[in-house]
Amino acid sequence: MMNNMSRRQVLAALAGGAAVMATTAGCGFKSAGASSSSPDGDVSYWTQVDPTNTVQQAAISAFNKTAKGQVTLSEIASTGYLSKIQTAMGSSAMPGLFFNWGGGSLSEYVKAGKLVELDASLKSHFLASPLQAGIVDGKFVGLPCRGTQPVFLYYNKSLFAQAGVQPPATYDDLLNLVQVFKKRGVIPFAIAGTSANSWTELMWIEYLVDRLAGPDLFKSIAGGDWSGWKDPSILQAAQMVEELVAAGAFGTTFGSVNYGAGGTSTLFATGRAAMQLMGSWDYATLQGISADFTANDLGYVAFPAIGGGKGDPKNVSGNPTNYLTMTTAAARTTATDFLQTVFSDSYVLGLVKMGEVPVTTNTKSLLSQSSDPAYSNFLYDLVADAPSFTQSWDQALGSTLATPMLTEIQKLFNGQDSPAQFVSNVLAIQS
Amino acid sequence: MTSLTGDRPSHRAGAGPEIRRAAPGKGRPGVGWAVPGLLFFGLFALLPMAGVVYLSLTSWNGITAPQFTGWHNWSRFLGDHQMVQSTLVTGVLLVGNIAVQAPISILLGVWSAGRQRNRAVLSAIFFLPLLLSTAATAVMWRQLLDPNFGLPSKMSWLFLGDQNMLGTQAGAIVCLIAVTSWQFIPFHTLLYQGAARNVPATLYQAAELDGAGRVRQFWSITLPQLRNTVVTSTTFMVVGGLTAFDVVLLLTNGGPGTDTAILPFQMYQTAFVTYDYGYASAVATFLLLLATGASLLLVRLTGYHKMNSTLEGL
């Protein structure tokens, strides 16, 4: 008896462990998604939890007062948002409208025929460059619905004044500044090199490649021509990264530094790093660390030009904006009518007041009501004047390709990959 | 958990006269008692396992229906250098964790088995890390290990080099073992404490009469008496080590590069980041075989299945 029992307990413990593993691999989400067959029925709208949910809800409440079909907002935690969408798209719980990042994140859904093509006349209400990432596989499926988030150089004005230098206009200026700040015991650029944050390193590659080769190279890679990585400017960009790391542009311990408060943002806001290449969203984080810093010492410029490069120095990269996408589960009339609200003055003003810079044509006139009009106008002009807005590569490629690519970028920065190895390893991702 | 229903004390099962007739004298419970347990086991263990094995033979992105691809995932798995590296790292972490945790928990467990008040108080404090969630402790340690604002910046005498703890493979592995040990040594200590308290005092009294010192008593009495607990604790460490990935996910995210990407982490990333459920299922099946094999081997090698009592002859 004793013998049998203990053996069974051991087996039960093993089976328990196995069951946990097995369910981890097979679990899914269930959620009530309102799908309707009648064109003026109800529509469920999935979004990620963030402070602008109140603006979205206000637009929905106003819409629901007069419309026949009702729109309901589901606010979903940002952790797991993408996988929840992914799971729902294969099931009957598919939302009618959902908030997303455009580009490659939508391409599987377009191929599977889950999305509805939007009316081209909607395009006239938006700036040209941010619309591009809403057009996937030639189909206009993403309507800009949020602020733009370009990536640019943030710098600390008082550190620059103490050193008697100006923000970089060319790449040579940038290399010179690395030496200036290293001598003063300041980290030239804050960067987060831990594995979960290698997207901060990707931003450097994005800009170096854009300035060297122009935006078309990555466009063709994202369009499916993976051999584009063989282009000499990719290798050159990787070599420039190697030189920057060797020159101490990012300090020596960046491999253990995380992004955000307590990491890069704190390094920068407290004057321990002179610059950072980062997206516009970091303004709010910096403000949270020191409102005094953002009010007095925060400077910002576009990424510098590289001599001899083919890319226009006015090009930007980053997250053009977020998008609202309609699925086949949506009650068509209700959803189409609702999409008219995302470029209305009241919706845009609501976003502007929260520090966002929407990409609608009516945004500019409303920016004076932002809490920091100088910063908001800088963002708007940066995007409005840009001949091309390259979407963050990880978003544009989709996670299947982006995850191994980010790993290789991290290895390049860590010195685990030489520039040549980096190129061949990335090429091997899709062979 | 399944055995709870299956192993009810027999005298309660033998209440009806029929059962008593069916098993005269013994009164063992009938097969019927195992049904709820078997159902539970079948539904939540066997069925998902079969599902994972099936999915490992398909290509599935979660949106469209799974496509049967035969052995494609498996031949890819066998030729995947990353998986070889992941298996090695999993092994290194496993061995490292056992090598660090087992001796410390045995010593602490035996020490805390003493009835002195200071030991009781210190044991209670020492038990605390086990009460915290792994996710919370991993996030806390990630902050604590920050080279600019964490412990390394304040205690440079302890953290050698330039304090780039998570940025090198060796550093990241040491950090992972340290954080896991910090959290789970209390659990294993608890196992050893309970077992050490069950060692009959008469053995020590006899040993003292024979002139055995403390160290001799530990090696000749305490350790042999803890034999079964050593097996239990090690089995937990092996199975737990092969399936746990939360610390890796939150502390290093498999980095630097893929240097700490253990198998469960690879499985998670393949399934839920790159949405390749077919290949992830192949990794899951491999892990399932590995964990089951390792545990059975452990039980065999140690003679645990014979369940010899440590109290024979007393």
Side-chain angles (χ1 to χ4, degrees):
Chain A
M1 181 71 195
M2 182 67 186
N3 191 347
N4 284 339
M5 205 170 112
S6 352
R7 190 168 192 178
R8 245 181 282 163
Q9 279 170 340
V10 172
L11 285 173
L14 290 179
V20 170
M21 271 161 49
T23 43
T24 314
C27 78
F29 299 92
K30 284 221 167 60
S31 174
S35 63
S36 172
S37 49
S38 118
D40 53 4
D42 296 343
V43 171
S44 68
Y45 173 178
W46 286 13
T47 191
Q48 186 177 253
V49 172
D50 70 31
T52 64
N53 291 154
T54 54
V55 182
Q56 290 168 307
Q57 187 57 59
I60 289 170
S61 302
F63 175 81
N64 284 348
K65 272 184 200 145
T66 55
K68 184 156 174 266
Q70 302 288 292
V71 176
T72 44
L73 188 68
S74 298
E75 295 160 27
I76 295 157
S78 61
T79 312
Y81 177 76
L82 282 173
S83 47
K84 181 156 187 170
I85 294 280
Q86 171 90 11
T87 314
M89 293 302 273
S91 77
S92 59
M94 188 158 78
L97 292 168
F98 69 98
F99 171 90
N100 61 78
W101 286 261
S105 66
L106 294 178
S107 107
E108 288 295 319
Y109 307 144
V110 171
K111 282 188 201 123
K114 303 283 183 190
L115 305 185
V116 175
E117 205 166 349
L118 304 174
D119 187 21
S121 67
L122 290 168
K123 289 181 183 171
S124 64
H125 299 280
F126 298 93
L127 297 181
S129 63
L131 275 169
Q132 289 165 12
I135 301 169
V136 181
D137 294 343
K139 295 200 164 66
F140 177 37
V141 290
L143 196 68
C145 69
R146 281 286 287 281
T148 183
Q149 297 179 326
V151 171
F152 48 87
L153 272 183
Y154 287 80
Y155 69 97
N156 183 323
K157 281 186 195 164
S158 64
L159 285 181
F160 271 68
Q162 284 163 29
V165 287
Q166 294 298 315
T170 66
Y171 190 71
D172 292 335
D173 291 350
L174 187 149
L175 291 176
N176 183 40
L177 287 173
V178 168
Q179 299 308 323
V180 169
F181 285 110
K182 239 176 78 179
K183 278 191 200 107
R184 301 178 69 88
V186 174
I187 300 171
F189 293 95
I191 198 169
T194 53
S195 181
N197 299 300
S198 38
W199 52 268
T200 64
E201 297 171 336
L202 169 67
M203 290 173 170
W204 281 87
I205 303 273
E206 285 167 359
Y207 264 118
L208 292 174
V209 171
D210 185 276
R211 292 292 185 263
L212 288 171
D216 291 336
L217 173 59
F218 180 70
K219 241 180 230 164
S220 75
I221 290 174
D225 180 17
W226 200 251
S227 67
W229 287 95
K230 286 182 190 152
D231 191 285
S233 32
I234 301 263
L235 180 66
Q236 198 186 340
Q239 285 163 342
M240 288 163 92
V241 166
E242 192 185 36
E243 284 158 19
L244 283 169
V245 171
F250 309 111
T252 53
T253 59
F254 66 89
S256 302
V257 173
N258 291 294
Y259 164 72
T264 48
S265 306
T266 307
L267 277 178
F268 177 59
T270 54
R272 292 174 63 174
M275 293 170 272
Q276 66 169 356
L277 181 64
M278 188 39 68
S280 62
W281 58 85
D282 204 47
Y283 183 91
T285 312
L286 296 170
Q287 202 171 31
I289 296 165
S290 168
D292 187 49
F293 172 75
T294 46
N296 303 314
D297 289 337
L298 181 64
Y300 26 82
V301 288
F303 192 85
I306 298 179
K310 283 184 243 166
D312 189 325
K314 280 188 171 153
N315 286 344
V316 289
S317 109
N319 302 331
T321 180
N322 292 107
Y323 300 87
L324 198 54
T325 292
M326 195 198 300
T327 74
T328 50
R332 198 66 61 90
T333 311
T334 310
T336 309
D337 290 348
F338 178 73
L339 289 180
Q340 301 286 329
T341 65
V342 304
F343 46 84
S344 68
D345 280 357
S346 59
Y347 181 77
V348 171
L349 185 60
L351 290 176
V352 166
K353 283 187 172 163
M354 301 204 110
E356 298 260 318
V357 179
V359 292
T360 60
T361 45
N362 54 347
T363 299
K364 184 80 178 170
S365 59
L366 300 167
L367 284 181
S368 58
Q369 299 181 57
S370 131
S371 57
D372 186 345
Y375 179 70
S376 298
N377 275 302
F378 166 75
L379 291 184
Y380 187 87
D381 295 340
L382 193 68
V383 174
D385 297 344
S388 157
F389 195 141
T390 300
Q391 188 182 24
S392 298
W393 291 8
D394 48 349
Q395 299 288 355
L397 292 172
S399 49
T400 307
L401 294 172
T403 308
M405 175 191 73
L406 284 168
T407 302
E408 296 306 328
I409 289 176
Q410 199 203 359
K411 286 185 183 172
L412 172 69
F413 274 77
N414 284 347
Q416 293 167 289
D417 272 359
S418 72
Q421 279 170 326
F422 167 76
V423 173
S424 68
N425 288 353
V426 174
L427 272 167
I429 291 171
Q430 182 151 301
S431 47
Chain B
M1 63 205 104
T2 48
S3 56
L4 284 181
T5 37
D7 296 324
R8 286 271 171 78
S10 54
H11 54 89
R12 292 185 62 187
E18 294 89 351
I19 293 174
R20 202 170 281 162
R21 225 178 293 129
K26 279 193 152 182
R28 286 176 59 110
V31 182
W33 289 92
V35 167
L38 284 175
L39 267 179
F40 187 84
F41 183 69
L43 209 60
F44 292 104
L46 294 180
L47 198 67
M49 277 192 250
V52 163
V53 173
Y54 167 70
L55 281 178
S56 76
L57 303 173
T58 66
S59 162
W60 189 38
N61 63 3
I63 307 173
T64 46
Q67 301 281 320
F68 190 80
T69 54
W71 296 106
H72 177 258
N73 286 326
W74 286 98
S75 58
R76 179 177 156 203
F77 180 79
L78 293 175
D80 192 340
H81 295 294
Q82 181 56 51
M83 288 302 163
V84 177
Q85 195 211 0
S86 292
T87 311
L88 285 176
V89 175
T90 312
V92 167
L93 276 181
L94 200 62
V95 172
N97 267 320
I98 294 173
V100 171
Q101 291 184 37
I104 297 181
S105 6
I106 290 176
L107 289 174
L108 274 174
V110 171
W111 177 81
S112 63
R115 304 279 173 183
Q116 294 87 333
R117 175 164 293 188
N118 68 331
R119 293 189 185 186
V121 173
L122 285 172
S123 307
I125 294 173
F126 196 69
F127 189 66
L128 279 176
L130 190 59
L131 301 177
L132 307 171
S133 94
T134 311
T137 55
V139 171
M140 177 187 84
W141 277 104
R142 196 174 62 193
Q143 296 290 327
L144 284 176
L145 291 169
D146 185 283
N148 298 298
F149 306 104
L151 291 176
S153 63
K154 310 281 183 265
M155 302 162 76
S156 49
W157 48 270
L158 182 62
F159 296 85
L160 304 169
D162 63 359
Q163 297 131 33
N164 190 5
M165 296 301 291
L166 297 174
T168 62
Q169 180 172 36
I173 287 177
V174 167
C175 288
L176 283 172
I177 292 178
V179 172
T180 316
S181 302
W182 175 80
Q183 184 171 25
F184 287 107
I185 283 176
F187 171 73
H188 296 284
T189 300
L190 204 65
L191 290 181
Y192 286 116
Q193 183 194 36
R197 282 190 174 162
N198 270 342
V199 178
T202 50
L203 290 177
Y204 293 108
Q205 288 157 6
E208 243 164 67
L209 284 180
D210 290 342
R214 275 194 167 201
V215 177
R216 185 63 203 263
Q217 285 182 20
F218 175 80
W219 286 107
S220 302
I221 299 174
T222 316
L223 214 50
Q225 288 284 315
L226 293 179
R227 194 181 63 219
N228 286 337
T229 315
V230 171
V231 179
T232 311
S233 158
T234 314
T235 309
F236 272 124
M237 286 183 198
V238 169
V239 177
L242 284 174
T243 52
F245 84 113
D246 36 11
V247 181
V248 172
L249 176 74
L250 292 164
L251 198 64
T252 68
N253 197 44
T258 50
D259 283 354
T260 59
I262 58 172
L263 282 171
F265 178 79
Q266 282 292 339
M267 175 187 80
Y268 163 82
Q269 196 147 39
T270 314
F272 299 112
V273 181
T274 61
Y275 303 116
D276 187 350
Y277 293 108
Y279 192 47
S281 297
V283 183
T285 308
F286 177 68
L287 262 176
L288 186 71
L289 295 174
L290 204 64
T292 313
S295 308
L296 288 179
L297 196 71
L298 204 63
V299 169
R300 280 281 158 200
L301 282 181
T302 53
Y304 187 64
H305 61 293
K306 296 194 197 100
M307 204 63 205
N308 292 333
S309 169
T310 48
L311 297 179
E312 270 167 53
L314 284 170

